Amino acid sequence: MTTVIFRKTGQGEYRELECRGHAGYAERGEDIVCAALSVLVINTLNSLEELCGLPIRPEEDEEKGRIACSFPKGMDEKAEVLLDSLVLGCVSIEKQYGKKYCKVKFEEV
């Protein structure tokens, strides 16, 4: 199962994102759930860096299927919308394929 964790402050500001584990929906290279989540997460991080100018430095471990990133304080509205869009995409995948393959969590930091 892939777990996507969004960590936010009590005021609703994004602070961290962690995506870990392999979905296990299909064999490696054929897993559409894992591929979809990977594309969403990587595209969002690339967009935050390229379109919003944020210094994104993700930690990655391909073997474990983990990518994690901390976000700077004071992100602008455009960055918040990109992360809200990522939440929407991940929750949609969780609903469509089930928590057996994808689980979205929210934690307060």
Side-chain angles (χ1 to χ4, degrees):
M1 169 189 33
T2 300
T3 303
V4 185
I5 305 166
F6 294 92
R7 295 185 179 98
K8 299 171 86 170
T9 66
Q11 293 75 37
E13 297 173 335
Y14 290 98
R15 284 293 173 256
E16 297 174 7
L17 164 68
E18 181 178 4
C19 183
R20 64 178 181 227
H22 294 287
Y25 183 76
E27 295 296 319
R28 185 180 174 118
E30 301 292 322
D31 194 328
I32 59 173
V33 174
C34 198
L37 291 166
S38 295
V39 167
L40 285 173
V41 169
I42 291 167
N43 186 67
T44 300
L45 295 180
N46 287 340
S47 295
L48 288 168
E49 188 169 42
E50 294 295 321
L51 302 175
C52 300
L54 294 177
I56 301 299
R57 301 293 175 258
E59 300 171 16
E60 302 175 59
D61 185 334
E62 191 173 325
E63 190 66 32
K64 293 180 181 178
R66 182 180 183 273
I67 186 166
C69 186
S70 296
F71 303 115
K73 292 181 182 180
M75 289 193 301
D76 66 14
E77 187 177 335
K78 187 165 45 171
E80 295 280 337
V81 169
L82 286 170
L83 287 165
D84 288 344
S85 179
L86 175 60
V87 169
L88 179 65
C90 292
V91 168
S92 295
I93 291 170
E94 178 185 57
K95 286 179 183 175
Q96 183 170 355
Y97 292 96
K99 293 184 183 211
K100 178 179 178 181
Y101 303 108
C102 173
K103 184 170 184 174
V104 179
K105 295 171 57 175
F106 299 91
E107 296 178 354
E108 188 174 323
V109 292

